[in-house]
Amino acid sequence: TEQDGDGYIWIGTDYGLNRFDGISFREYLHEESQPGSIKSNTVRSLFCDRESRLWVGFINGMQCYDRNRDEFLEVSFDTTPYTPNISSIIQLSSGEIWTIASLLGPYSIDTENMTASALVDLIRLCGTNNITSIYEDNERRLWVSTYNKGVVCIDPSHTKVIDRYFENEEPTLSCK
């Protein structure tokens, strides 16, 4: 569930996307013959950025809602032959939009061209592309949760690992 800048509440489900205006619902469903319809009826993630753009992650890709045309714009991923299953979407303090594609790893979204680029340096720092979530703290450090390489804390310049934590291990760095 996500609320946009116009006050609409968006609800992603396994059977489409719903927009609630406080009185009634509008349902968005995938329609093969409609180019601006949602990509899939299985919504995995929703995120409204600081510019009030709604980003929608599906089991087979990602789109951005164009409120002026009331349609969804495709974000292009170069993941052939794999289809990106979008598990989360975030916005960094820099304004960058990042997403995580399950088993493929993190991507940066070029919002002008609606293209996604793999964050290969982040994958290298984490030691895996099997990333489950990313959080940026108040000091702009990245906290990256991985499936099999622990939680990785990365410096604000995103160039080096500060520390790595595993289950049942006492942390040496404090969160503020």
Side-chain angles (χ1 to χ4, degrees):
T1 304
E2 193 74 18
Q3 185 170 17
D4 69 18
D6 294 329
Y8 292 116
I9 296 174
W10 294 86
I11 303 163
T13 71
D14 284 339
Y15 190 72
L17 179 64
N18 297 283
R19 184 178 75 186
F20 183 62
D21 63 8
I23 298 170
S24 61
F25 283 92
R26 166 133 189 235
E27 185 176 56
Y28 293 86
L29 295 172
H30 172 69
E31 297 178 30
E32 197 70 40
S33 62
Q34 295 282 41
S37 76
I38 63 174
K39 187 167 187 54
S40 166
N41 286 331
T42 306
V43 178
R44 294 274 327 274
S45 55
L46 295 170
F47 181 75
C48 190
D49 68 17
R50 291 192 288 273
E51 290 76 36
S52 293
R53 293 177 294 209
L54 178 72
W55 299 91
V56 187
F58 301 95
I59 61 166
N60 62 344
M62 183 173 166
Q63 290 177 307
C64 182
Y65 178 65
D66 182 336
R67 77 178 88 167
N68 295 327
R69 297 188 311 201
D70 192 33
E71 63 183 27
F72 295 84
L73 307 173
E74 179 84 21
V75 176
S76 175
F77 285 77
D78 184 20
T79 58
T80 307
Y82 305 105
T83 302
N85 183 342
I86 306 301
S87 60
S88 70
I89 305 164
I90 66 167
Q91 185 170 28
L92 300 179
S93 58
S94 65
E96 289 178 88
I97 303 292
W98 284 9
T99 189
I100 298 172
S102 298
L103 302 175
L104 297 175
Y107 288 81
S108 176
I109 306 301
D110 178 337
T111 59
E112 294 295 316
N113 298 312
M114 290 296 168
T115 57
S117 301
L119 293 166
V120 293
D121 290 339
L122 186 63
I123 292 169
R124 182 185 49 75
L125 286 171
C126 293
T128 182
N129 63 351
N130 204 344
I131 292 172
T132 57
S133 67
I134 299 173
Y135 173 77
E136 183 184 41
D137 69 16
N138 291 336
E139 295 179 24
R140 296 187 173 168
R141 296 176 297 200
L142 294 180
W143 295 85
V144 183
S145 171
T146 69
Y147 181 71
N148 55 354
K149 299 285 185 175
V151 175
V152 183
C153 182
I154 298 172
D155 75 314
S157 67
H158 308 162
T159 58
K160 67 180 180 184
V161 172
I162 295 172
D163 214 340
R164 187 179 301 268
Y165 306 95
F166 294 95
E167 188 177 0
N168 300 325
E169 182 179 76
E170 287 294 317
T172 57
L173 183 65
S174 66
C175 297
K176 295 178 184 174

